Amino acid sequence: MAESIQFDPQSSGAGDNTEHADEQSAAGPQSPASAHPSLEKSQAFDQAVGGYRSPRISPEEKLIACRSSTKSLSLSGSVFEQIQENDREYANQSYFMPCDEKEQTRLAVIHQCFTSMLSGQLSFQNIPRSAKRILDVGTGIGDWAIAVAERFPTAEVVATDITCFQPTDVPPNLFFEIDDAQEEWTYTEPFDFIHLRGLSGAFSNWAAVYKEAHKHLQVNGILELADFGVITTTQPIADSYLSIYNGACVSAAEKAGTTLGLDHMKQTLLERAGFSIARTRTLDIPLGTWSSDPRKKLAGKMALISALEGLEATSLRLLTQHMNWKAEDVRDLCDKVQEELMRPGVQPTIPCQFMVARKLIL
């Protein structure tokens, strides 16, 4: 059973053969912000954010930045012709999360939020000093993979996603690949550490993903998962727009053949794939700055930015494709949920779960 803790991610040590990254937190998290116009309507939101803006990457830069795995799509220009739908850009016809500039900004904020939650560390389980190969599945804009490659310059870091929107100025030991983790993995050398973060709803067959991860880990290798659950409020709101939003998204995800929330992190799923569960923790993140704890205020501010921006990102394609909603109705609901979450005294929270599993046998 997962243990609920309060910002104490390193409460159980990882042993002497691990690399502590205390120096990573010396500079502290940067101050991100969202550039989404719809969020600027809230004065409270405006006061909460700084001036972060994600870089725009051209198709030509993408071709330079990404290499293909042995089974992935050819790196022709058509790979990067993203689908325009309801004023958002998507990587393909099926995955519900967008990959446009607004989403890239949100992903950058999430990375800083995780860094804050982990006290400047890059992972919940410290990565072994001896690690030679590290894999980041669903890398997004690649912030985590870049930081890990810088921290472990002698390790080969491979970062995969179904599209390529990562920067080109990266460490020489980092390689971005276009790959679908639901298909068979074709790596010829095993990894010491595999990282999956923020992929709730991404896969219809998590059992297959975990099976491939187990197959491609070294014995004693580590698989780390991290994800957010569903937004709730400490003060119940009768007939809330949030409950309507959550219910509609869950139903749409089921119709799409996947699930939202933390169901993919059930221990039984990983154990059936051959893993031994080493550690699991749940952090309760306050959305906003209502917590009296200064560290929770910082993480909560960034989590709020990500949550508000993520309402439309998560729901727009799900509800229009699978529930026959109109785009304007989805955005109207998102606006109402945003307003609801920003009301004084509501005190919204979101659970963030970490799970560490090991491969003990071949």
Side-chain angles (χ1 to χ4, degrees):
M1 180 178 295
E3 177 186 350
S4 179
I5 65 172
Q6 298 298 323
F7 289 82
D8 187 20
Q10 301 296 337
S11 57
S12 52
D16 293 336
N17 64 335
T18 55
E19 181 70 34
H20 291 269
D22 294 336
E23 57 266 43
Q24 294 171 356
S25 61
Q30 298 175 0
S31 178
S34 170
H36 196 322
S38 68
L39 299 185
E40 294 172 0
K41 294 182 296 183
S42 167
Q43 182 179 3
F45 180 86
D46 291 340
Q47 293 172 347
V49 302
Y52 185 89
R53 185 175 178 86
S54 64
R56 181 178 292 276
I57 301 169
S58 70
E60 292 76 16
E61 290 175 312
K62 293 174 183 177
L63 287 170
I64 297 171
C66 287
R67 68 179 185 182
S68 63
S69 70
T70 56
K71 68 175 178 62
S72 66
L73 295 171
S74 169
L75 288 178
S76 63
S78 61
V79 171
F80 305 109
E81 293 176 1
Q82 290 149 345
I83 297 169
Q84 302 286 333
E85 189 177 297
N86 294 317
D87 297 322
R88 301 300 300 259
E89 294 179 6
Y90 296 87
N92 56 30
Q93 294 286 354
S94 57
Y95 186 44
F96 66 94
M97 293 299 290
C99 58
D100 49 26
E101 187 175 7
K102 288 186 284 190
E103 177 64 4
Q104 292 174 39
T105 298
R106 191 185 72 87
L107 292 175
V109 174
I110 286 180
H111 177 69
Q112 295 297 337
C113 183
F114 273 104
T115 302
S116 176
M117 285 190 287
L118 294 171
S119 301
Q121 306 254 2
L122 293 174
S123 55
F124 178 64
Q125 176 72 30
N126 289 316
I127 301 172
R129 289 192 185 120
S130 59
K132 296 180 180 178
R133 281 172 56 81
I134 299 169
L135 174 64
D136 185 28
V137 177
T139 192
I141 59 174
D143 279 353
W144 187 88
I146 292 169
V148 167
E150 291 173 344
R151 187 72 184 93
F152 296 87
T154 62
E156 180 182 29
V157 180
V158 178
T160 69
D161 211 308
I162 58 173
T163 190
C164 190
F165 47 18
Q166 300 82 23
T168 56
D169 184 16
V170 299
N173 59 320
L174 171 59
F175 303 95
F176 291 115
E177 296 184 354
I178 295 179
D179 210 353
D180 187 344
Q182 291 191 106
E183 299 178 3
E184 181 183 3
W185 299 9
T186 57
Y187 303 108
T188 57
E189 297 180 53
F191 294 93
D192 301 286
F193 192 95
I194 297 179
H195 178 258
L196 291 87
R197 186 177 78 185
L199 296 179
S200 175
F203 305 127
S204 59
N205 190 352
W206 277 95
V209 174
Y210 293 148
K211 181 179 178 181
E212 290 298 316
H214 187 271
K215 177 181 176 181
H216 290 273
L217 269 176
Q218 295 270 20
V219 175
N220 292 322
I222 298 169
L223 171 68
E224 176 166 310
L225 310 173
D227 226 320
F228 288 107
V230 176
I231 299 172
T232 59
T233 60
T234 57
Q235 303 296 325
I237 305 174
D239 301 321
S240 68
Y241 291 113
L242 177 62
S243 64
I244 296 172
Y245 174 90
N246 285 339
C249 288
V250 168
S251 297
E254 290 176 354
K255 287 189 175 184
T258 185
T259 59
L260 298 179
L262 298 171
D263 283 352
H264 63 291
M265 295 179 69
K266 291 180 178 177
Q267 295 189 24
T268 53
L269 277 175
L270 287 101
E271 290 169 346
R272 288 171 188 163
F275 284 102
S276 175
I277 306 302
R279 303 172 64 194
T280 179
R281 295 288 187 273
T282 300
L283 306 177
D284 294 319
I285 311 300
L287 294 180
T289 58
W290 56 265
S291 173
S292 59
D293 186 324
R295 189 153 54 123
K296 291 181 184 179
K297 281 182 180 287
L298 178 59
K301 180 171 69 172
M302 290 183 286
L304 176 64
I305 295 168
S306 172
L308 294 180
E309 183 80 359
L311 290 172
E312 180 188 303
T314 301
S315 64
L316 186 58
R317 180 176 256 196
L318 280 177
L319 297 184
T320 54
Q321 280 198 352
H322 302 286
M323 303 294 284
N324 297 318
W325 285 39
K326 295 180 180 179
E328 55 266 31
D329 292 334
V330 177
R331 291 191 167 103
D332 179 64
L333 176 60
C334 290
D335 288 343
K336 291 175 179 176
V337 175
Q338 290 172 14
E339 181 184 357
E340 197 171 75
L341 293 177
M342 299 297 290
R343 290 177 190 169
V346 170
Q347 297 186 342
T349 64
I350 191 168
C352 180
Q353 185 173 347
F354 295 87
M355 182 171 289
V356 176
R358 287 186 179 272
K359 175 180 178 177
L360 299 183
I361 59 175
L362 291 172

